[in-house]
């Protein structure tokens, strides 16, 4: 009788090890990382109650007193644990270009950079973003222009 229990315990241990190995192979956190795709849906938002200004719709206009949120969507849409976005903002006379890497928003569905009011002076700017997962990086998005007014 004890022999049967030992065989059952051994079989259970083998199954547990096999399941752990299978999880390690298929788990996104452990599996080999693929190069992330270039983000899409570039947009600018200045107020949670205002609609996004889509880059493909033309040059957005914002106030230097606005909180500016530059956002893009990962491809494919959905959750991407560990995905980050590196943003570049250039333009504006006498301003230092902004380069910043940010993790996904807590929702896990938006790459975003928040620029505080007064950070940018009046003028024309442009920005772009790329996705990063571990050491893998996507291509840069096309530039998206916007204008800051007084």
């Amino acid at each position: 009788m004890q022999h049967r229990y030992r065989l059952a315990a051994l079989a259970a241990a083998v199954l547990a090890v096999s399941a752990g190995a299978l999880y390690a192979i298929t788990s996104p956190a452990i599996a080999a990382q693929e190069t992330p795709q270039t983000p899409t849906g570039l947009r600018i938002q200045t107020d949670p109650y205002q609609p996004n200004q889509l880059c493909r719709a033309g040059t957005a206009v914002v106030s230097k007193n606005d909180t500016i949120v530059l956002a893009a969507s990962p491809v494919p849409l959905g959750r991407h644990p560990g995905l980050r976005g590196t943003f570049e903002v250039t333009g504006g006379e006498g301003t230092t270009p902004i380069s910043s890497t940010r993790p996904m928003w807590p929702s896990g569905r938006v790459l975003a950079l928040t620029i505080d009011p007064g950070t940018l002076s009046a003028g024309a700017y442009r920005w772009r973003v790329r996705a990063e997962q571990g050491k893998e990086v996507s291509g840069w998005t096309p530039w998206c222009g916007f204008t800051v007014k007084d």
Side-chain angles (χ1 to χ4, degrees):
M1 195 71 148
Q2 281 186 332
H3 184 66
R4 287 185 185 165
Y5 290 121
R6 286 185 184 157
L7 282 176
L10 179 61
V14 168
L15 284 174
V17 169
S18 298
L22 181 60
Y23 177 78
I25 291 170
T26 60
S27 171
I30 299 173
Q33 295 176 346
E34 295 181 17
T35 301
Q37 295 183 40
T38 303
T40 188
L42 277 65
R43 56 204 178 269
I44 298 173
Q45 187 173 19
T46 57
D47 184 298
Y49 301 105
Q50 294 293 322
N52 291 315
Q53 299 181 57
L54 301 175
C55 290
R56 69 175 184 260
T59 302
V61 177
V62 299
S63 169
K64 69 178 184 178
N65 299 320
D66 288 336
T67 297
I68 303 166
V69 179
L70 309 176
S73 299
V75 177
L77 287 176
R79 294 190 180 272
H80 298 271
L83 192 70
R84 301 176 317 277
T86 294
F87 291 79
E88 286 187 349
V89 181
T90 64
E93 196 171 311
T95 58
T96 303
I98 297 171
S99 180
S100 182
T101 301
R102 302 283 185 208
M104 292 283 286
W105 274 16
S107 68
R109 298 174 194 261
V110 178
L111 296 165
L113 172 67
T114 301
I115 301 173
D116 293 325
T119 301
L120 302 176
S121 58
Y125 294 85
R126 63 185 190 156
W127 68 279
R128 64 184 182 169
V129 62
R130 71 178 182 195
E132 300 180 3
Q133 182 85 40
K135 295 180 181 180
E136 301 295 324
V137 297
S138 74
W140 288 101
T141 62
W143 288 101
C144 174
F146 66 101
T147 300
V148 176
K149 64 180 182 169
D150 284 325

